[in-house]
Amino acid sequence: TTGDAIRSMLQQGSELVLFATGRLKRLPNFQQWIRMIAAEEHSFGSIRVYRLFTRAPSQPPKARLGQEIHLIGYHVSSEVASPGDTITATLLWQATAHINTDYHVFVHLMDANHALKAQHDGPPILGTLPTTSWPPGPVVPDPHLLHIPVDAAPGTYTIGVGMYQWPGLERVSAFQPDGTRWPDDWILLTDVLLSAPP
């Protein structure tokens, strides 16, 4: 399955992926996940090589969720956008022990008045690798697409993330590096500047 392939890659610490024969097309969402988390892509005729975001960042973890999950970093495809654009927010998770609950991830784009303008909620890793299957230790790149409404007003928006239990919607406790709890268990990532359309 796609989940098996991703889990194996994470456990082996794979940094490069080579598509050459077309056999991996049989795994739904696998190529999409690779493209979304790739740092580089190179094509040689029918052969494609991707270098992945798999290394842990050097800065301290952004947050701890519950006891077993750390948000150790993130990558946002662009911090400047226009109405109608799509931003990819790739969250870099790390499990420190086996996780007993399948959590869903939320990624929210909020305006200056804390109104929700775009979001992506659902199981992590494009729904292919539930948190109960995460191997302890490796970095788990988890991409999420945020589609900015075409009628969104110019200004500064904020991306925040977290996890919750499904179907109860109870959020997982999220703590800052100093141990204080994130308000509403909503982890602040970064700002996005939305410019006026040309």
Side-chain angles (χ1 to χ4, degrees):
T1 67
T2 297
D4 293 333
I6 293 174
R7 181 180 171 88
S8 177
M9 287 179 53
L10 297 176
Q11 289 176 317
Q12 297 299 322
S14 302
E15 295 184 20
L16 297 174
V17 177
L18 173 70
F19 289 96
T21 65
R23 293 177 60 193
L24 293 176
K25 290 181 179 178
R26 301 174 186 173
L27 299 178
N29 294 330
F30 183 70
Q31 290 192 56
Q32 180 185 3
W33 178 73
I34 293 295
R35 289 188 188 106
M36 291 176 74
I37 68 166
E40 294 179 20
E41 175 184 351
H42 301 280
S43 296
F44 306 93
S46 61
I47 298 174
R48 285 172 293 128
V49 180
Y50 296 89
R51 185 173 67 81
L52 308 181
F53 286 111
T54 56
R55 293 187 179 275
S58 58
Q59 67 265 29
K62 184 76 173 173
R64 174 176 57 84
L65 291 89
Q67 296 300 319
E68 310 94 353
I69 302 173
H70 290 263
L71 178 63
I72 62 171
Y74 65 92
H75 172 75
V76 176
S77 59
S78 178
E79 294 184 354
V80 178
S82 298
D85 286 352
T86 297
I87 296 173
T88 302
T90 301
L91 310 177
L92 302 177
W93 303 109
Q94 186 176 48
T96 57
H98 176 72
I99 304 168
N100 295 316
T101 305
D102 283 333
Y103 296 119
H104 282 212
V105 177
F106 66 84
V107 181
H108 292 167
L109 183 70
M110 312 282 278
D111 68 13
N113 297 317
H114 305 288
L116 183 64
K117 292 301 180 180
Q119 71 183 102
H120 185 269
D121 286 44
I125 326 298
L126 306 180
T128 63
L129 193 69
T131 53
T132 51
S133 297
W134 289 5
V139 178
V140 180
D142 177 28
H144 295 264
L145 296 177
L146 290 172
H147 302 290
I148 302 174
V150 294
D151 60 351
T156 300
Y157 291 72
T158 302
I159 297 178
V161 305
M163 288 186 174
Y164 59 91
Q165 297 185 34
W166 180 263
L169 304 182
E170 180 183 351
R171 289 187 179 179
V172 181
S173 301
F175 299 91
Q176 300 182 42
D178 64 3
T180 59
R181 193 162 174 177
W182 284 97
D184 299 322
D185 299 313
W186 193 87
I187 303 163
L188 171 66
L189 286 194
T190 189
D191 289 337
V192 173
L193 178 63
L194 195 62
S195 60

